[in-house]
Amino acid sequence: MLQLPASTYVDRRRRLLEQLPPGGAMLLPTHGEVTRSNTTAFPFRPHSDFYYVSGFPEPDAWLLLKRDGEEPGMHLFVLPRDRERETWTGRRYGVDGAKECFGADHAWPLPELDEQLARLLADVDVLYFSFGRHTRKEARLHRILSKVRTGRKAELGPTTLCDPESLLAEMRLIKTPEELAVMRTGAEISAEAHIAAMRAVRHGMHEYEIQALVEYTFRRRGAWGWAYPSIVAGGDNACILHYVRNDGVFRDGELMLIDAGAEVDGYATDITRTTPVGAAFSGAQRDAYEVVLGVQRRAIEAVRPGASINGIHEQVLLDLTRGMVDLGVLHGDPEELVADKKHEAFYPHRTSHWLGCDVHDVGRYNLRTGPHKPLEAGQVLTVEPGLYFPADDERTPEAFKGIGIRIEDDVLVTGDGHEVLTAAVPKAVEELEALRREALG
Ligand code: GLY
Ligand code: MN
Ligand code: MN
């Protein structure tokens, strides 16, 4: 499976070190395993910031990046080699592996964390640490800092604490060609999974059977797995935005909404498609689908440097509301309807989010604090308008009850426009109906 080369991580650390002020250091922990029930744990996946800077895949580790002073460079604190534990839970890189395989300038066994950090932080002036995210680790850092500050040395540790997001999130937001190669692989694998699911669905099948096919494809192609829990929803279930029970039964005449994406070397894909369970859309389904598709296509056209996520969302709200007026779902002047938030009954979510190491990736949107952040080449965002007509909502017109539609693509901002990374998954009505007819034989 495609993986970023070690040189990518070296380059990231060099760029971060260049941005740290004199006396600056960044401390990034990753979490430990989380108990699922009794003796079983959730599958471990490193924290994105930690993995982005180190490429180190094990739990419970800490990374200290020091710009200057004593022992500058990258320190990794890792679980030590332990033959007995490794027999149960798998091989560890240990201190030697942290240096040899991940380029750590200094590596320490985890049990030495408090003592070594107290020493290493003594001559740090500005410490970057993400507060409010790792509660127990934060408390541990407080204890360590208190040890530094009550010490007898002349240097009493950091005078300034900063959020690493100001440096790290902005770096994560702009993708390099190497990262884009990984994201393209994720898009290709996810496209294969979506197309397989679109072909496989049949009346009477359970949603989880299609979920299994999607996730089987992710793993068969070497992805880590899903980037977020897969949504596989038939009919009215598609109106639940984060539906993950996936235990309903598909019926002819309904639509199937799948929102699923693979994670490849820590990068997320995020695709939604809505397909007929039978051979074709019904009249009302097609009318609503064409509205969403037209809105999505026009929103994608608007993606270019200088545009903004918020501007595109505002365009979508007006465009979608015009569509709802044409469908006879809303009545009145579209601009007034949007101002009165009447669209929210059928389109309650936003249109876009950043995409990268996390599905809802880091990076500011400047939604409330103007001016809206302009898009820049190298950013990847989703474009995902939808219409949802829950059967049990009295505001839903009879003809549309039980129809939920979302169409979501991942879009790269290029120097002069955009590129749709997930274009290989069909979305035109004719393409979807041809695919379904062929699959049904
Ligand atoms: N799959 C989550 C989202 O589309 O935002
Ligand atoms: Mn999304
Ligand atoms: Mn999605």
Side-chain angles (χ1 to χ4, degrees):
M1 173 46 50
L2 190 64
Q3 268 193 310
L4 290 171
S7 59
T8 295
Y9 296 96
V10 173
D11 187 53
R12 287 173 180 170
R13 292 195 290 272
R14 182 186 54 73
R15 286 165 57 206
L16 273 175
L17 282 167
E18 279 170 10
Q19 294 179 72
L20 288 178
M26 187 176 284
L27 183 61
L28 302 171
T30 192
H31 41 273
E33 286 197 327
V34 177
T35 300
R36 178 174 176 272
S37 176
N38 199 16
T39 56
T40 53
F42 287 104
F44 173 75
R45 192 265 193 204
H47 188 281
S48 295
D49 279 343
F50 173 86
Y51 189 73
Y52 180 85
V53 179
S54 68
F56 191 74
E58 294 179 11
D60 288 312
W62 293 61
L63 181 159
L64 177 70
L65 197 60
K66 262 189 100 170
R67 184 189 133 135
D68 40 32
E70 279 208 28
E71 299 176 43
M74 174 167 76
H75 295 252
L76 274 181
F77 296 84
V78 301
L79 292 168
R81 298 295 311 266
D82 179 331
R83 177 144 280 289
E84 198 212 324
R85 289 311 310 151
E86 288 178 50
T87 303
W88 287 90
T89 58
R91 299 283 171 246
R92 293 176 179 173
Y93 283 101
V95 166
D96 293 338
K99 287 195 212 159
E100 282 158 25
C101 307
F102 299 92
D105 302 294
H106 317 270
W108 311 94
L110 193 66
E112 290 185 27
L113 179 84
D114 292 15
E115 182 191 332
Q116 296 299 343
L117 267 190
R119 186 175 67 78
L120 291 162
L121 292 179
D123 63 353
V124 167
D125 188 28
V126 183
L127 179 63
Y128 288 75
F129 179 85
S130 186
F131 284 90
R133 285 187 198 267
H134 319 265
T135 328
R136 295 231 303 269
K137 292 188 161 63
E138 196 173 316
R140 188 164 179 181
L141 176 62
H142 276 290
R143 285 198 299 277
I144 294 167
L145 287 177
S146 131
K147 208 152 123 184
V148 179
R149 295 172 90 82
T150 51
R152 285 163 187 268
K153 287 200 184 160
E155 293 149 317
L156 293 177
T159 57
T160 309
L161 294 173
C162 295
D163 192 332
E165 191 183 296
S166 55
L167 304 181
L168 214 40
E170 294 309 304
M171 231 171 104
R172 280 176 53 182
L173 210 47
I174 307 287
K175 274 67 181 179
T176 61
E178 290 80 17
E179 290 177 286
L180 288 171
V182 172
M183 292 188 78
R184 284 181 214 284
T185 305
E188 186 192 313
I189 294 171
S190 305
E192 181 181 329
H194 272 266
I195 293 168
M198 287 168 164
R199 288 186 190 288
V201 67
R202 295 289 182 277
H203 171 85
M205 265 188 171
H206 286 88
E207 293 159 344
Y208 51 71
E209 295 176 70
I210 295 297
Q211 175 192 357
L213 175 61
V214 167
E215 294 173 3
Y216 160 73
T217 309
F218 294 165
R219 285 297 282 154
R220 199 192 86 245
R221 294 280 314 269
W224 284 3
W226 44 252
Y228 54 92
S230 308
I231 296 167
V232 181
D236 196 41
N237 292 337
C239 299
I240 300 166
L241 299 178
H242 285 174
Y243 176 76
V244 289
R245 286 173 57 160
N246 301 349
D247 60 356
V249 174
F250 290 111
R251 301 278 170 221
D252 261 343
E254 291 181 345
L255 297 177
M256 168 177 75
L257 183 153
I258 299 182
D259 183 347
E263 184 173 51
V264 173
D265 199 18
Y267 286 82
T269 312
D270 187 6
I271 303 179
T272 309
R273 285 293 185 271
T274 310
T275 320
V277 173
F281 289 87
S282 73
Q285 288 167 350
R286 174 192 275 258
D287 291 345
Y289 187 90
E290 292 283 21
V291 166
V292 177
L293 184 60
V295 169
Q296 199 236 12
R297 286 198 159 130
R298 289 187 286 278
I300 290 174
E301 279 312 306
V303 175
R304 69 178 76 92
S308 75
I309 279 194
N310 216 42
I312 292 168
H313 181 58
E314 282 165 9
Q315 172 188 318
V316 162
L317 291 186
L318 189 57
D319 206 4
L320 205 48
T321 303
R322 286 199 180 108
M324 285 191 267
V325 170
D326 292 343
L327 289 173
V329 169
L330 293 177
H331 306 278
D333 172 60
E335 288 187 17
E336 281 174 25
L337 290 167
V338 172
D340 293 342
K341 300 193 188 304
K342 295 292 184 207
H343 59 276
E344 285 186 356
F346 308 113
Y347 182 53
H349 60 80
R350 293 194 59 83
T351 302
S352 302
H353 53 81
W354 303 125
L355 186 72
C357 300
D358 287 294
V359 62
H360 297 153
D361 209 25
V362 292
R364 301 254 153 184
Y365 295 93
N366 289 7
L367 296 182
R368 287 174 201 88
T369 54
H372 296 149
K373 192 173 167 130
L375 294 177
E376 287 175 50
Q379 293 170 338
V380 180
L381 62 149
T382 65
V383 178
E384 50 179 306
L387 281 178
Y388 311 92
F389 300 113
D392 63 356
D393 189 325
E394 71 268 8
R395 293 169 297 185
T396 302
E398 200 56 40
F400 295 99
K401 282 195 166 161
I403 296 177
I405 296 162
R406 180 164 61 256
I407 308 171
E408 175 175 28
D409 281 299
D410 303 343
V411 184
L412 166 69
V413 185
T414 60
D416 57 359
H418 60 267
E419 177 192 334
V420 181
L421 300 177
T422 48
V425 197
K427 60 184 176 183
V429 166
E430 309 71 45
E431 287 175 300
L432 296 178
E433 291 187 342
L435 181 149
R436 286 302 297 154
R437 277 198 304 274
E438 190 196 311
L440 291 168

